[in-house]
């Protein structure tokens, strides 16, 4: 995969999720104004709970990765990805972090260890 295609896909997926989040979640949140209730709604049954736990733990994995690469590779501003991982969600935060990482490590292949 070319670097340009990789970047384009990250933008499409990251922004795509942000748009979907705003179309699906924001109207209900603005109508009800119940952030805690919205969070709890992710756990209404075992299937929803599985997806919610997956998203929460994916954010934890992303946070670990951001912290690790900050100390080992000097990747800066990863905290922005963690905020985006909370709202709109991990898909947007993760895509942002990969784009940020790619920009700060231009010679590195995506996900490759430092040489």
């Amino acid at each position: 995969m070319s670097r340009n295609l990789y970047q384009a896909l990250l933008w499409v997926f990251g922004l795509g999720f942000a748009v979907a989040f705003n179309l699906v979640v924001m109207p209900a949140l603005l109508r009800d104004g119940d952030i805690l209730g919205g969070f709890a709604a992710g756990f209404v049954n075992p299937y929803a709970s599985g997806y919610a736990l997956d998203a929460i733990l994916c954010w934890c994995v992303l946070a670990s990765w951001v912290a690790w690469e900050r100390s080992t590779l000097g990747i800066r501003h990863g905290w922005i990805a963690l905020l985006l991982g909370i709202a709109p969600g991990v898909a947007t935060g993760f895509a942002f972090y990969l784009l940020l990482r790619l920009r700060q490590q231009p010679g590195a292949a995506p996900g490759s260890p430092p040489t």
Side-chain angles (χ1 to χ4, degrees), residues 60-105:
C60 292
V61 170
L62 177 61
S64 300
W65 190 10
V66 167
W68 170 257
E69 289 200 337
R70 181 174 189 263
S71 65
T72 59
L73 299 179
I75 303 294
R76 299 176 321 276
H77 310 300
W79 61 270
I80 299 170
L82 298 180
L83 290 179
L84 289 171
I86 294 170
V90 179
T92 299
F94 185 39
F96 174 83
Y97 184 72
L98 291 176
L99 288 165
L100 181 72
R101 182 183 193 277
L102 192 62
R103 182 177 212 141
Q104 292 183 33
Q105 300 284 320

Side-chain angles (χ1 to χ4, degrees), residues 10-42:
L10 290 174
W11 279 106
V12 167
F13 295 142
L15 290 175
F17 178 77
V19 168
F21 178 86
N22 282 306
L23 292 174
V24 174
V25 175
M26 290 307 291
L29 183 61
L30 293 173
R31 182 185 63 241
D32 301 335
D34 185 8
I35 294 173
L36 189 57
F39 177 78

